[in-house]
C-alpha cells in the first residue's frame, strides 16, 4: 500500500524536483530521479487590442499606449476620432448631429480651448455618444467624453507646455500644470495664457430685393480685411478627497478672462443696380471686446446600500463688454459714424442628482436636475441709427429622468424617459414682454438595442431631442454690417424637436452606420425687413415646418506595419425647401466628405503624419456649402522616457480650405468667399516632471449645455 501511494505521487514529485536548483540525485519510492535541464527557445506572445469598441450606441476609441498618445493634446486627438470634424470657423461638430458637449472625466468642459491644454499622454480613451440618453439635457444631441489615465503615485507632479503658431501673424500660448496626491487627497492647478493674432480676408456679396423697386435687385459686393488680436488667460484649481472607496467629495474653481481683444475691419463695398454701379463706400470698424467668468463646481460621489449616488452643483458668474467704432465714407449717401456699446451679465445656478443601482439583470438610473439662468443685455448706439436695448431673461428649468438597461447574453436593451419643464421670462426695461416669454414642457424618450450579427457588433437607437435657441439667437439687439444690412437675433424663435433613428456597426477595424433625422419647427437662416427702414434687411434666423436628413458613414482603421491609416467616408442627404427672392428653392443637394489620415511610426521613435480631406458641394439647411480640400503634415518625437515632447505641424499647407458658402433668405442671397488664416505652422514643446497622471477631478457639471447657451 505504501509503494502504491508513492507511485501515485510520482508525477507531482517529479515536477517539484526538476524545479530545484540542486544537482544532487533524489530517491523517491526506490526510484532514482536525475534532474535534467531542458533549454527552451524564447517565446514572445503578442496581441493587438482593438482601437474601437461599440456599446449602447457609444463608440469608444482607445488612446493610451496607441499612436494617438504621441500627439500634442486633446485638440489634435479629437480630429482623429471617427465622426468628429473640426473647422476654423465652426469649431467641432459631430457628423449628422452638430455641435457636441465635452466632458473630461465627469467634469463638463464649458471652454473648448481647454482641450488644447490637456496633453494626449493623459488621455486613456474617448467616448463618442451620438444618441445621448435620458440623463442628458434635452438639447444635447452628441456627447464627447474624454477619460484620463488614473495614476496612483503620491507626491508632486506637473507639466509645462509652450506653442508658437506662425500664420499670417505670430501667436503663442503657454501653460503650467501642477498636481499633488497623497492618499485620498488630490490637488490640481493650472495657469495658462494665449496671445491670439489672426488675419483673414473675405469677399462677400449681398443680392437684395429692395422694398420699392422689386424689378431691379441690389447687388452689393465687398472686400474685407479682418485682423483679430488679443490676450486670453485664466487659472484652474481643484480639490478632491476620497474618504474610502464608497465616498468622495470635491470642489473646483475656474477663472477665465480676456482683458482686451481687438478686431479691426477694413472694407470697401459698392452697389450695382441693373448692372450699373450706383455707389461705393469705404468702411472701417474698430471693435474692443472684454469678458471674464467665474465658475465653481462641487461634487459628491458615494454609495449607500445598493445605490450609487452622484451629486453635482454649479455656480457661474460672468460679464462681457463690446465697444465698436465704425466709419463709413460714401460719395452718394454721405459719411456716417456709428458708435455702439454692448454689455451683458449672466449668472447660473444648477444642481443635478443621479441615483443608480442594479435590479435583476440590469441597471436602473433615476435622477433630476434644476437650472436657473439670468442674463442681462444692454445696447446703446450714440447716433440713434440702431435701437437702444435694455433686456433681461430669467429662465428656470427642472427635469426628471429614469432609465433601465438589461443585458441578455450578447444582447442588451435600454430605455429611458426625460421630462423637462422650463419657464423663460423676457423683460424689456424691467417690463415683462409676454410674446417673448414662453413655457416649455418636453418629453424626451429614448430606446437603444445592442445585438450581434455574426462577429459584428451593432446598435439600433431612437431618441427625441429638443433644440432651444441660444440666448444670442434670441437677442433683440442689432449689429451694423453696412447701410443695407443689419444683423440680429429673433426673440420669437421657438425650439425645434428632433426625431433621430440611427444604426451603427463595428467589425474589427471597420465601423459605419446610417441615421435619419426629422426636425420639426426647424431653426434655419432667414432675412426680414427692418421695421424702421424698409430698405434695410436684417440677417437673422427663423422657424421652418421641417427639415429632414439622411446620413451614412464608413470608417476604416487597419494597421499595416509602421503605417496607421484611417479612412472616413461620409454622405449627407438633406430634404428642405425655402423661399428665396420670390421663388421656391429646393435645398436637396447631397454631399460627400472624405478624410484620409496616415501616420507612420518609425523605429527611431519619430512619428510622421500626412492627413488630407475633401468636402464636395452640398446643402445644409438654408446653406449651400462649396467644395474644398486640405492637407496637414506633422512630425513629432519624444525624449527622456517620454517626458520631453517636440513636434512641428503644418495645417492646411496648400491654403486650400477656402470654405465658401451661400445663404438663401426671402429677401436676401448672401455669398461668402473667405481666405482664412488657416495655413499655420505650430511648434510645440512640452515637458512632464515627476510624471504622475494624478487622480482626475471627478466633478460633473450640473448645467449640461446651458453653460454654453450663456
Amino acid at each position: 500500500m505504501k509503494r502504491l501511494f508513492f507511485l501515485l505521487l510520482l508525477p507531482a514529485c517529479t515536477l517539484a524536483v526538476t524545479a530545484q536548483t540542486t544537482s544532487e540525485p533524489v530517491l523517491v519510492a526506490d526510484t532514482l530521479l536525475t534532474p535534467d535541464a531542458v533549454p527552451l527557445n524564447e517565446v514572445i506572445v503578442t496581441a493587438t487590442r482593438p482601437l474601437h469598441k461599440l456599446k449602447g450606441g457609444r463608440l469608444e476609441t482607445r488612446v493610451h499606449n496607441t499612436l494617438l498618445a504621441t500627439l500634442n493634446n486633446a485638440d489634435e486627438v479629437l480630429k482623429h476620432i471617427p465622426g468628429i470634424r473640426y473647422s476654423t470657423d465652426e469649431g467641432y461638430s459631430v457628423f449628422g448631429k452638430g455641435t457636441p458637449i465635452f466632458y473630461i472625466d465627469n467634469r463638463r468642459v464649458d471652454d473648448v480651448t481647454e482641450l488644447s491644454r490637456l496633453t494626449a499622454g493623459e488621455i486613456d480613451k474617448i467616448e463618442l455618444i451620438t444618441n445621448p440618453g435620458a440623463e442628458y439635457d434635452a438639447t444635447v444631441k452628441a456627447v464627447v467624453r474624454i477619460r484620463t489615465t488614473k495614476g496612483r503615485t503620491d507626491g508632486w507632479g506637473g507639466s509645462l507646455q509652450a506653442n508658437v503658431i506662425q500664420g499670417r501673424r505670430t501667436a503663442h500660448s503657454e501653460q503650467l500644470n501642477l498636481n499633488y496626491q497623497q492618499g485620498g487627497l488630490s490637488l490640481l492647478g493650472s495657469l495658462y495664457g494665449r496671445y491670439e493674432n489672426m488675419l483673414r480676408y473675405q469677399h462677400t456679396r449681398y443680392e437684395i430685393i429692395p422694398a420699392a423697386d422689386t424689378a431691379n435687385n441690389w447687388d452689393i459686393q465687398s472686400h474685407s480685411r479682418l485682423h483679430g488680436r488679443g490676450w486670453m488667460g485664466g487659472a484652474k484649481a481643484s480639490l478632491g478627497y476620497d474618504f474610502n472607496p464608497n465616498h468622495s467629495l470635491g470642489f473646483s474653481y475656474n477663472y477665465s478672462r480676456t482683458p482686451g481683444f481687438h478686431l479691426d475691419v477694413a472694407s470697401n463695398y459698392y452697389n450695382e443696380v441693373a448692372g450699373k454701379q450706383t455707389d461705393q463706400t469705404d468702411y472701417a470698424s474698430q471693435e474692443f471686446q472684454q469678458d471674464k467668468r467665474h465658475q465653481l463646481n462641487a461634487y459628491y460621489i458615494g454609495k449607500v446600500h445598493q445605490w450609487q449616488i452622484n451629486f453635482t452643483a454649479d455656480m457661474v458668474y460672468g460679464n462681457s463688454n463690446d465697444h465698436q467704432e465704425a466709419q463709413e465714407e460714401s460719395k452718394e449717401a454721405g459719411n456716417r459714424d456709428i458708435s455702439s456699446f454692448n454689455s451683458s451679465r449672466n449668472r447660473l445656478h444648477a444642481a443635478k442628482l443621479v441615483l443608480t443601482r442594479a435590479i435583476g439583470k440590469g441597471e436602473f438610473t433615476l435622477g433630476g436636475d434644476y437650472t436657473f439662468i439670468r442674463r442681462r443685455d444692454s445696447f446703446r448706439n450714440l447716433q440713434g441709427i440702431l435701437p437702444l436695448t435694455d433686456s433681461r431673461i430669467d429662465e428656470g428649468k427642472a427635469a426628471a429622468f429614469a432609465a433601465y438597461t438589461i443585458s441578455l447574453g450578447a444582447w442588451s436593451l435600454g430605455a429611458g424617459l426625460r421630462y423637462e419643464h422650463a419657464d423663460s421670462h423676457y423683460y424689456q426695461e424691467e417690463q415683462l414682454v409676454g410674446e417673448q416669454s414662453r413655457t416649455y414642457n418636453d418629453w424626451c424618450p429614448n430606446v437603444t438595442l445592442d445585438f450581434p450579427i455574426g462577429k459584428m457588433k451593432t446598435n439600433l437607437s431612437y431618441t427625441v431631442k429638443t433644440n432651444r435657441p441660444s440666448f444670442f439667437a434670441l437677442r433683440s439687439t442689432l449689429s451694423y454690417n453696412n447701410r443695407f444690412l443689419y444683423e440680429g437675433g429673433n426673440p420669437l424663435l421657438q425650439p425645434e424637436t428632433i426625431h433621430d433613428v440611427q444604426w451603427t456597426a463595428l467589425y474589427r477595424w471597420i465601423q459605419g452606420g446610417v441615421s435619419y433625422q426629422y426636425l420639426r419647427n426647424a431653426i434655419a437662416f432667414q432675412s426680414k425687413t427692418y421695421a424702421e427702414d424698409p430698405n434695410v434687411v436684417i440677417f437673422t434666423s427663423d422657424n421652418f415646418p421641417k427639415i429632414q436628413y439622411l446620413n451614412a458613414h464608413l470608417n476604416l482603421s487597419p494597421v499595416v506595419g509602421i503605417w496607421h491609416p484611417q479612412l472616413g467616408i461620409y454622405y449627407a442627404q438633406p430634404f428642405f425647401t425655402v423661399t428665396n427672392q420670390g421663388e421656391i428653392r429646393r435645398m436637396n443637394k447631397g454631399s460627400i466628405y472624405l478624410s484620409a489620415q496616415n501616420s507612420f511610426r518609425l523605429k527611431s521613435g519619430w512619428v510622421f503624419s500626412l492627413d488630407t480631406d475633401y468636402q464636395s458641394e452640398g446643402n445644409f439647411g438654408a446653406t449651400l456649402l462649396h467644395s474644398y480640400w486640405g492637407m496637414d503634415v506633422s512630425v513629432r518625437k519624444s525624449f527622456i522616457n517620454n517626458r520631453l515632447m517636440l513636434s512641428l505641424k503644418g495645417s492646411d499647407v496648400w491654403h486650400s480650405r477656402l470654405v465658401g458658402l451661400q445663404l438663401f433668405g426671402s429677401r436676401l442671397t448672401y455669398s461668402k468667399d473667405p481666405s482664412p488664416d488657416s495655413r499655420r505652422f505650430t511648434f510645440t514643446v512640452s515637458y512632464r516632471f515627476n510624471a504622475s497622471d494624478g487622480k482626475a477631478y471627478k466633478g460633473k457639471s450640473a448645467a449640461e449645455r446651458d453653460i454654453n447657451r450663456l
Side-chain angles (χ1 to χ4, degrees):
M1 180 64 71
K2 184 181 294 186
R3 179 177 295 273
L4 177 61
F5 177 73
F6 281 130
L7 290 175
L8 291 173
L9 290 178
L10 183 60
C13 293
T14 305
L15 179 61
V17 170
T18 55
Q20 303 296 317
T21 58
T22 178
S23 60
E24 295 296 327
V26 180
L27 181 64
V28 178
D30 296 335
T31 301
L32 184 65
L33 302 178
T34 303
D36 186 17
V38 180
L40 298 176
N41 292 328
E42 181 181 2
V43 177
I44 300 176
V45 179
T46 61
T48 302
R49 292 175 58 192
L51 189 65
H52 304 295
K53 290 183 180 180
L54 179 66
K55 185 176 181 180
R58 180 179 67 248
L59 180 66
E60 178 184 301
T61 301
R62 185 168 52 89
V63 177
H64 191 55
N65 289 331
T66 71
L67 200 62
L68 295 175
T70 66
L71 296 168
N72 286 327
N73 50 43
D75 230 350
E76 294 186 3
V77 174
L78 287 168
K79 297 171 186 177
H80 290 77
I81 303 301
I84 298 180
R85 296 176 57 180
Y86 178 83
S87 70
T88 305
D89 291 335
E90 302 297 331
Y92 286 102
S93 64
V94 174
F95 175 71
K97 306 295 179 177
T99 304
I101 63 170
F102 292 91
Y103 288 90
I104 296 178
D105 292 312
N106 286 324
R107 180 177 58 81
R108 172 77 161 82
V109 176
D110 60 288
D111 179 7
V112 292
T113 62
E114 183 179 348
L115 300 173
S116 65
R117 300 190 290 271
L118 176 66
T119 61
E122 296 175 295
I123 301 174
D124 179 39
K125 60 185 178 181
I126 295 179
E127 300 171 358
L128 174 60
I129 307 171
T130 52
N131 258 3
E135 179 183 342
Y136 296 95
D137 190 282
T139 62
V140 176
K141 294 176 287 185
V143 177
V144 177
R145 283 192 172 275
I146 302 173
R147 307 286 187 179
T148 61
T149 55
K150 305 295 191 297
R152 299 297 301 179
T153 305
D154 287 344
W156 287 96
S159 64
L160 288 165
Q161 180 174 293
N163 299 275
V164 177
I165 305 110
Q166 183 61 56
R168 291 186 175 123
R169 296 291 187 270
T170 303
H172 57 86
S173 66
E174 300 79 28
Q175 181 176 348
L176 168 65
N177 298 319
L178 292 173
N179 61 73
Y180 175 77
Q181 185 170 309
Q182 187 67 44
L185 177 66
S186 178
L187 300 174
L188 303 173
S190 68
L191 293 171
Y192 58 90
R194 177 182 179 92
Y195 179 74
E196 184 59 74
N197 198 356
M198 185 175 290
L199 176 64
R200 62 181 295 159
Y201 300 94
Q202 184 170 292
H203 171 253
T204 55
R205 183 180 184 184
Y206 310 90
E207 297 174 83
I208 301 175
I209 297 179
D213 185 11
T214 57
N216 295 303
N217 291 355
W218 295 341
D219 189 351
I220 304 160
Q221 301 192 44
S222 71
H223 298 272
S224 304
R225 176 185 185 273
L226 302 92
H227 184 202
R229 64 198 186 281
W231 282 95
M232 291 162 271
K236 297 192 304 177
S238 67
L239 180 153
Y241 191 80
D242 297 340
F243 295 93
N244 55 52
N246 292 330
H247 299 282
S248 300
L249 186 69
F251 305 90
S252 74
Y253 170 71
N254 291 358
Y255 173 74
S256 62
R257 176 170 169 77
T258 302
F261 187 84
H262 297 264
L263 178 62
D264 296 333
V265 180
S267 65
N268 61 79
Y269 61 91
Y270 59 88
N271 183 21
E272 288 187 356
V273 179
K276 296 182 179 179
Q277 182 172 321
T278 60
D279 188 19
Q280 180 169 332
T281 303
D282 293 324
Y283 174 86
S285 170
Q286 303 82 39
E287 195 168 348
F288 181 69
Q289 302 169 352
Q290 292 178 308
D291 66 68
K292 62 181 178 181
R293 171 150 60 171
H294 306 266
Q295 181 176 355
L296 179 66
N297 173 267
Y299 74 87
Y300 167 75
I301 299 175
K303 183 177 181 180
V304 177
H305 299 298
Q306 300 299 317
W307 289 96
Q308 296 283 349
I309 303 172
N310 191 321
F311 174 77
T312 53
D314 282 288
M315 289 192 299
V316 179
Y317 291 85
N319 61 65
S320 63
N321 296 283
D322 191 332
H323 175 204
Q324 182 183 19
E325 294 286 344
Q327 304 84 37
E328 280 188 342
E329 296 181 358
S330 170
K331 296 179 180 179
E332 298 294 329
N335 298 339
R336 174 185 283 181
D337 293 331
I338 305 99
S339 301
S340 63
F341 301 86
N342 190 11
S343 64
S344 65
R345 292 177 293 160
N346 54 71
R347 70 183 190 189
L348 175 147
H349 300 156
K352 183 174 184 178
L353 176 65
V354 181
L355 305 174
T356 306
R357 66 164 295 169
I359 297 180
K361 295 182 179 181
E363 184 179 78
F364 177 66
T365 300
L366 178 69
D369 56 69
Y370 178 77
T371 304
F372 173 78
I373 297 174
R374 170 168 289 177
R375 180 181 176 95
R376 293 180 179 271
D377 284 286
S378 174
F379 178 81
R380 293 183 297 123
N381 172 228
L382 300 185
Q383 292 78 16
I385 299 173
L386 302 174
L388 304 180
T389 301
D390 182 8
S391 64
R392 185 181 98 223
I393 295 178
D394 288 350
E395 181 178 286
K397 180 178 64 178
F401 56 87
Y404 183 71
T405 302
I406 186 170
S407 297
L408 304 170
W411 293 58
S412 67
L413 175 65
L417 181 63
R418 180 182 181 90
Y419 171 73
E420 283 192 359
H421 172 80
D423 283 315
S424 179
H425 301 284
Y426 182 87
Y427 298 86
Q428 179 67 33
E429 296 181 349
E430 298 302 323
Q431 298 295 317
L432 180 66
V433 181
E435 65 177 0
Q436 294 177 218
S437 302
R438 60 202 67 184
T439 298
Y440 305 116
N441 290 286
D442 297 306
W443 292 91
C444 299
N446 72 282
V447 180
T448 180
L449 174 66
D450 284 338
F451 59 97
I453 300 178
K455 295 183 179 181
M456 181 171 62
K457 296 181 178 180
T458 67
N459 171 264
L460 181 65
S461 63
Y462 167 72
T463 61
V464 178
K465 291 288 184 179
T466 296
N467 182 31
R468 300 191 187 102
S470 67
F471 289 109
F472 183 76
L474 290 170
R475 74 193 188 280
S476 56
T477 59
L478 295 174
S479 58
Y480 186 90
N481 284 12
N482 54 55
R483 65 178 68 244
F484 305 101
L485 187 72
Y486 300 164
E487 186 172 345
N490 182 358
L492 300 181
L493 274 179
Q494 297 294 321
E496 62 183 7
T497 302
I498 306 168
H499 296 265
D500 193 327
V501 180
Q502 72 172 23
W503 176 78
T504 54
L506 175 65
Y507 175 71
R508 298 180 63 188
W509 43 265
I510 304 172
Q511 190 269 330
V514 180
S515 69
Y516 169 76
Q517 291 180 323
Y518 182 93
L519 283 65
R520 182 172 57 84
N521 211 24
I523 298 174
F525 163 75
Q526 186 55 280
S527 60
K528 63 180 182 180
T529 301
Y530 180 41
E532 303 298 325
D533 186 350
N535 288 322
V536 174
V537 174
I538 298 179
F539 190 93
T540 184
S541 55
D542 206 348
N543 292 110
F544 291 82
K546 66 178 180 179
I547 299 179
Q548 300 174 84
Y549 292 100
L550 181 63
N551 304 307
H553 72 277
L554 178 66
N555 287 279
L556 310 175
S557 53
V559 176
V560 185
I562 64 170
W563 180 33
H564 296 247
Q566 183 169 302
L567 173 66
I569 306 172
Y570 304 85
Y571 179 75
Q573 175 62 61
F575 302 92
F576 184 44
T577 301
V578 297
T579 300
N580 175 234
Q581 296 183 333
E583 298 180 355
I584 299 297
R585 178 180 290 270
R586 297 188 179 277
M587 311 295 291
N588 298 345
K589 187 173 185 179
S591 64
I592 296 176
Y593 176 73
L594 303 176
S595 173
Q597 299 170 335
N598 304 274
S599 294
F600 301 87
R601 192 169 201 165
L602 307 180
K603 291 183 178 180
S604 59
W606 290 90
V607 178
F608 173 74
S609 297
L610 179 65
D611 304 331
T612 61
D613 63 344
Y614 167 77
Q615 171 75 57
S616 71
E617 186 174 82
N619 290 127
F620 297 89
T623 306
L624 175 65
L625 189 68
H626 300 320
S627 63
Y628 67 88
W629 74 280
M631 179 181 291
D632 303 328
V633 61
S634 69
V635 60
R636 54 194 183 273
K637 181 174 172 54
S638 61
F639 303 87
I640 320 177
N641 295 325
N642 294 324
R643 292 198 297 271
L644 176 65
M645 173 73 77
L646 303 179
S647 73
L648 179 64
K649 179 180 180 181
S651 302
D652 194 16
V653 292
W654 299 106
H655 198 235
S656 53
R657 289 194 180 104
L658 310 180
V659 189
L661 58 83
Q662 286 181 284
L663 289 172
F664 300 97
S666 58
R667 285 189 57 196
L668 168 69
T669 299
Y670 169 79
S671 305
K672 180 177 74 172
D673 294 306
S675 177
D677 199 352
S678 56
R679 178 163 54 194
R680 311 189 105 189
F681 296 90
T682 304
F683 178 65
T684 302
V685 180
S686 62
Y687 181 77
R688 302 179 69 193
F689 51 92
N690 294 339
S692 167
D693 293 319
K695 288 187 289 187
Y697 181 72
K698 299 179 181 180
K700 176 181 177 181
S701 171
E704 302 290 353
R705 192 163 181 171
D706 289 311
I707 292 178
N708 266 5
R709 292 180 65 224
L710 289 176

